[in-house]
Amino acid sequence: MVWTTIAVALAAFVLAIGIIATSVLNLARKRSAFVVTQRWRSIFEGESLPDSVPLIRRSQVATVLHVWNDCYVAGARPQLVRAARAVNFEALALDLVRRRREDERLIGLFALGTMRSPAVVPVAIKLAAGGPALLELVAYRALALVDEGMVLPFVQKIAENDEWNVAKVEFVCVELGARKLSRALNHVVTNASGAQLERLRPFLRFCLPQSTKA
Amino acid sequence: MTPFAVHRIDNPTAALIVLIVEVLLFSYFLVVNAVYLGTALVAFVRLPRLVRLLRADPLRDLTPASLPGVSVLVPAYNEERHILRTVESLLNQDYPNFEVIVVDDGSTDATVDVLIERYGLALSSEIHPIAIPAVPVRATYRSSSERRFRILVKDNGGKGDALNAGINVAGNRLIFACDGDSVYTKDALKKMVEPFVDDSKTVGVGSSIGVSNDCLLDYDPIVRKRLSKNWLVRFQVLDYLNAFLSSRVGWARCNALTIVSGASGLWRKDVLIEAGGFRTDTKWEDLEMTIRVHHMLRKKRRAYRIRYTPFSICWTDVPDRVTSLWNQRVGWHRHVSECMSLHRRLLFSRYAGVVGWVMLPYLMLAEWLSPLVVLFGLLFGLVAAYFGFLGYFSQVVLFALVLALGVLTSCCALLLDELTFDTYPLPDALRLLLCTFFVVLGFRPLVTLANLAGFWRWATRAPIGGHRDIVGPGSPPYDPLRS
């Protein structure tokens, strides 16, 4: 029992050190993230790009692309594409996608999809095959945005799984547009079971009238 | 040295009895702590990853109009000090389709008056259907400026009865049960509804609850989170982190969430009605409803999930005086006892699955019986000391082990918070770290005594107490023991 007590006390001590270390790291990370976020948000939301953009360190890539993604979802799009070209975001996002942490992969994958970068395809195929539902959805989004041929598998996946958030799928559908979605939707709806039809119901408004008739 | 306290006993029978008792006590101690550390381990593996992923999601803030409607029910009894703050935070939700219904449960203070004055409410003649029997509603007030808000005024019947009255008038298929003295973050409804949208089998969602004593509140997100100077509050901060981060995440992972808290619980209305509504004859209603839904749906062999969102969307003041903490914990333990008694047939039944075979036995051992085991252990120690059976060195080591395990469990919760939500800044985290020692020495013994008192009140069928004494004429809810 003495050794058990000593082991438990040591474990508690290690955790206590862990708490202090994590707390200090959190503080430093928060400060750094705040500065980077403010700087890049003003660039992305500005009318024009400044003459020189700040250098992005490896530890800042995820934060910068996170801000870029947020600005894209909020609707500030033309400036974003210009900024992406100027800073070569494609290479940065590819670096993120190859990292181990899922949150970094998600940020990189979303950005690459938005940029319609063909380089995303091999990684996206791998991530679309399994993993957290959110990562899977973003991988399918990237594939469908890059390659029109992947819209059909995307719609089939919507019909088959009930783990994707409807609101997020709807956002991707709007991005793809009715023209790309309509044929795939019709194809899947024709062969769908009752439960699959139920899952597709919220997206049927993306069917164009002429293809629906067909 | 043996792992136990046996020192020297000449009588072999007495030695055997002492050894058996000590093995049982030590096994109990090991099992309870091992299960706790197991759930904490699940949380360590899962939670930081999940939270980072959700934060990185660029689509996290989407609020489409197609989200399901929610009826927010706020039972209120003598809440004139807090009710405005609560209602403001609820009406301020970033959610497209919801209504807020305050059910005044026969308050004797100015709860209704402050709301009438603030929102310019006027009497409204409405006829409500009765899906669940409850004390009749005497009056309904509506606001012309804030159409999503109304008040039901009824005679006192307890929190469960007030919720039942609210369910009867609720116009949406999801019910968010709240407390009249808590505040809710702006994204509370969105975070709670997300599991329903993600998984159609979801019937209920619980959330984490933050301690708001001494925080700066401004209806919408907590303006500044800071640790109270009151040590009793600090102990409860650790207690809440333990319960909400380390424990519930692990249980929810295997669909065995013990409790959807009464302060922030989202339920499907049809499931609540099918279950017969909240009980009005128990001290509290949240634990019982959660176990009842598990019991009912497992017995009917229906696929379902009770989910848990680890985000603190609800912030509440915890007791800052020993007497109020004592009363709260006595009530909680009484409710645990009531639930164990009401749902005893779920234990180890064929259909019960992980709920009946793991979660309830753990609840029984680690919560319900724990004060009795502690009492028995103390008495046993005293008797053994009297007869000279105790090895005092062993006792010191045992005490050190209890202390170290207590610190370890608190540190687990604190580290989890640092790795995920980083609720408290560095100085506060250090203060909480210091508290981990005194939790074992001061707070837990106090809570154990309160639990013992709660057990006693349940065993002696003492009156429920407070405003819950007056029980309405509600019909008995779904009783798994009878059906």
Side-chain angles (χ1 to χ4, degrees):
Chain A
M1 197 160 64
V2 174
W3 288 109
T4 316
T5 309
I6 292 172
V8 173
L10 269 177
F13 180 73
V14 169
L15 286 189
I17 298 291
I19 291 166
I20 296 171
T22 315
S23 199
V24 171
L25 284 175
N26 281 345
L27 192 67
R29 212 191 46 229
K30 259 192 217 166
R31 279 188 186 153
S32 150
F34 179 77
V35 173
V36 174
T37 304
Q38 294 294 99
R39 186 189 299 154
W40 282 94
R41 192 177 290 281
S42 65
I43 292 174
F44 294 145
E45 288 174 353
E47 283 299 308
S48 58
L49 275 179
D51 294 335
S52 66
V53 287
L55 190 73
I56 304 171
R57 278 183 287 172
R58 192 167 189 268
S59 59
Q60 296 172 340
V61 172
T63 311
V64 175
L65 281 176
H66 188 36
V67 177
W68 191 80
N69 287 341
D70 280 354
C71 290
Y72 169 77
V73 174
R77 293 173 194 190
Q79 304 94 299
L80 292 177
V81 179
R82 280 203 303 275
R85 282 195 200 119
V87 193
N88 193 14
F89 273 177
E90 198 173 324
L92 295 178
L94 267 174
D95 172 51
L96 269 192
V97 169
R98 290 189 190 118
R99 289 187 196 175
R100 214 161 50 90
R101 271 175 49 171
E102 283 167 349
D103 54 328
E104 293 182 327
R105 284 180 172 182
L106 180 79
I107 293 170
L109 203 56
F110 191 89
L112 285 170
T114 306
M115 288 181 255
R116 271 77 168 166
S117 163
V120 76
V121 173
V123 195
I125 287 175
K126 206 170 127 194
L127 292 173
L134 183 58
L135 207 56
E136 230 177 60
L137 169 63
V138 174
Y140 268 98
R141 167 189 177 268
L143 289 171
L145 285 171
V146 171
D147 177 3
E148 206 165 319
M150 288 304 291
V151 176
L152 181 62
F154 170 65
V155 176
Q156 275 167 341
K157 186 74 181 173
I158 298 173
E160 282 162 15
N161 93 37
D162 56 2
E163 285 193 332
W164 282 359
N165 183 306
V166 177
K168 291 172 187 172
V169 175
E170 209 171 333
F171 179 88
V172 180
C173 289
V174 172
E175 276 184 301
L176 288 169
R179 192 190 60 77
K180 283 186 187 171
L181 269 176
S182 196
R183 187 178 292 174
L185 267 170
N186 273 304
H187 180 81
V188 177
V189 165
T190 319
N191 305 308
S193 66
Q196 290 175 334
L197 266 180
E198 200 52 44
R199 278 183 217 121
L200 287 170
R201 190 185 297 277
F203 315 108
L204 292 183
R205 65 189 171 89
F206 292 99
C207 282
L208 292 173
Q210 61 270 34
S211 59
T212 311
K213 207 183 282 176
Chain B
M1 193 185 110
T2 67
F4 311 111
V6 182
H7 184 49
R8 53 183 161 73
I9 306 172
D10 298 331
N11 183 339
T13 315
L16 184 68
I17 292 171
V18 170
L19 186 69
I20 290 172
V21 171
E22 288 193 324
V23 167
L24 285 176
L25 283 176
F26 197 69
S27 309
Y28 169 84
F29 178 70
L30 277 185
V31 167
V32 167
N33 280 290
V35 173
Y36 174 81
L37 290 174
T39 55
L41 191 67
V42 174
F44 265 110
V45 172
R46 192 170 155 69
L47 197 57
R49 205 179 113 218
L50 177 77
V51 171
R52 277 201 304 260
L53 196 64
L54 292 179
R55 281 194 181 140
D57 178 14
L59 306 177
R60 65 191 176 282
D61 288 331
L62 293 180
T63 316
S66 58
L67 285 171
V70 181
S71 293
V72 181
L73 304 184
V74 191
Y77 178 78
N78 289 353
E79 299 284 6
E80 66 177 3
R81 279 176 56 224
H82 303 111
I83 194 71
L84 278 181
R85 192 179 80 165
T86 304
V87 171
E88 287 278 351
S89 74
L90 288 167
L91 287 172
N92 202 22
Q93 290 296 305
D94 180 16
Y95 196 81
N97 182 12
F98 71 99
E99 60 174 346
V100 177
I101 303 169
V102 171
V103 186
D104 178 68
D105 193 33
S107 295
T108 51
D109 68 356
T111 303
V112 177
D113 299 334
V114 293
L115 287 169
I116 288 175
E117 194 182 335
R118 169 70 181 78
Y119 292 101
L121 300 164
L123 267 173
S124 152
S125 52
E126 291 178 13
I127 298 169
H128 306 124
I130 297 181
I132 305 168
V135 174
V137 173
R138 279 194 285 114
T140 305
Y141 291 87
R142 268 189 184 275
S143 164
S144 51
S145 58
E146 184 50 86
R147 299 196 62 80
R148 298 171 302 177
F149 179 50
R150 58 184 148 156
I151 313 180
L152 310 179
V153 180
K154 61 183 270 296
D155 290 332
N156 183 249
K159 188 181 171 190
D161 186 75
L163 285 167
N164 290 340
I167 292 169
N168 285 335
V169 307
N172 295 306
R173 74 178 191 91
L174 295 179
I175 301 287
F176 185 42
C178 298
D179 267 357
D181 58 357
S182 304
V183 286
Y184 297 84
T185 56
K186 200 174 177 177
D187 56 358
L189 285 182
K190 210 157 65 178
K191 287 236 160 63
M192 294 294 277
V193 169
E194 209 160 74
F196 280 95
V197 177
D198 289 349
D199 185 351
S200 54
K201 292 193 286 294
T202 305
V203 297
V205 179
S207 88
S208 180
I209 295 174
V211 174
S212 60
N213 299 56
D214 291 337
C215 286
L216 293 180
L217 304 171
D218 188 17
Y219 301 138
D220 176 33
I222 310 300
V223 172
R224 191 176 155 209
K225 292 164 194 164
R226 61 182 177 191
L227 192 63
S228 171
K229 288 192 174 104
N230 184 318
W231 278 76
L232 202 56
V233 174
R234 290 180 182 180
F235 292 147
Q236 289 171 87
V237 168
L238 280 177
D239 200 35
Y240 273 48
L241 290 179
N242 256 324
F244 289 110
L245 287 187
S246 301
S247 184
R248 292 195 194 176
V249 171
W251 288 112
R253 176 76 183 136
C254 42
N255 197 24
L257 189 64
T258 336
I259 177 169
V260 170
S261 294
S264 73
L266 190 68
W267 291 101
R268 246 172 54 189
K269 182 180 170 182
D270 59 333
V271 171
L272 289 179
I273 291 174
E274 190 182 345
F278 290 90
R279 283 193 90 99
T280 54
D281 58 351
T282 50
K283 179 74 185 170
W284 255 270
E285 75 303 321
D286 46 6
L287 176 68
E288 200 282 323
M289 176 52 83
T290 314
I291 299 181
R292 183 144 42 103
V293 169
H294 277 302
H295 200 160
M296 180 182 82
L297 296 178
R298 283 188 182 266
K299 195 166 187 182
K300 293 182 176 178
R301 298 187 191 282
R302 295 227 302 261
Y304 76 100
R305 282 196 76 84
I306 296 181
R307 305 272 298 267
Y308 178 71
T309 176
F311 294 95
S312 297
I313 54 114
C314 167
W315 289 75
T316 194
D317 280 2
V318 295
D320 54 3
R321 283 173 300 134
V322 173
T323 44
S324 44
L325 175 72
W326 175 271
N327 290 335
Q328 185 195 54
R329 297 304 167 115
V330 168
W332 282 4
H333 202 79
R334 182 189 175 130
H335 186 50
V336 171
S337 308
E338 288 166 344
C339 292
M340 290 310 303
S341 162
L342 284 167
H343 297 282
R344 59 186 177 274
R345 290 198 185 161
L346 185 60
L347 267 172
F348 307 117
S349 62
R350 272 182 297 116
Y351 54 84
V354 68
V355 174
W357 288 83
V358 185
M359 182 268 268
L360 267 192
Y362 179 74
L363 186 70
M364 186 172 79
L365 281 177
E367 295 276 336
W368 187 43
L369 296 179
S370 75
L372 295 185
V373 175
V374 172
L375 182 69
F376 177 73
L378 281 175
L379 289 176
F380 174 75
L382 286 175
V383 171
Y386 179 77
F387 286 107
F389 294 163
L390 274 186
Y392 290 102
F393 178 68
S394 306
Q395 292 304 300
V396 171
V397 174
L398 188 64
F399 175 74
L401 180 61
V402 171
L403 183 66
L405 263 173
V407 173
L408 181 74
T409 49
S410 294
C411 282
C412 277
L414 202 49
L415 182 59
L416 255 177
D417 182 62
E418 288 296 329
L419 288 171
T420 49
F421 303 109
D422 186 21
T423 312
Y424 296 100
L426 182 60
D428 285 347
L430 292 176
R431 283 184 196 109
L432 282 173
L433 197 55
L434 187 66
C435 281
T436 56
F437 286 95
F438 301 105
V439 161
V440 188
L441 298 174
F443 181 72
R444 289 212 182 137
L446 176 71
V447 169
T448 303
L449 277 177
N451 288 348
L452 206 56
F455 192 92
W456 177 254
R457 292 213 184 151
W458 166 76
T460 56
R461 303 284 185 268
I464 287 178
H467 72 286
R468 290 158 205 269
D469 270 346
I470 308 162
V471 174
S475 72
Y478 170 82
D479 189 343
L481 301 183
R482 283 187 214 143
S483 59

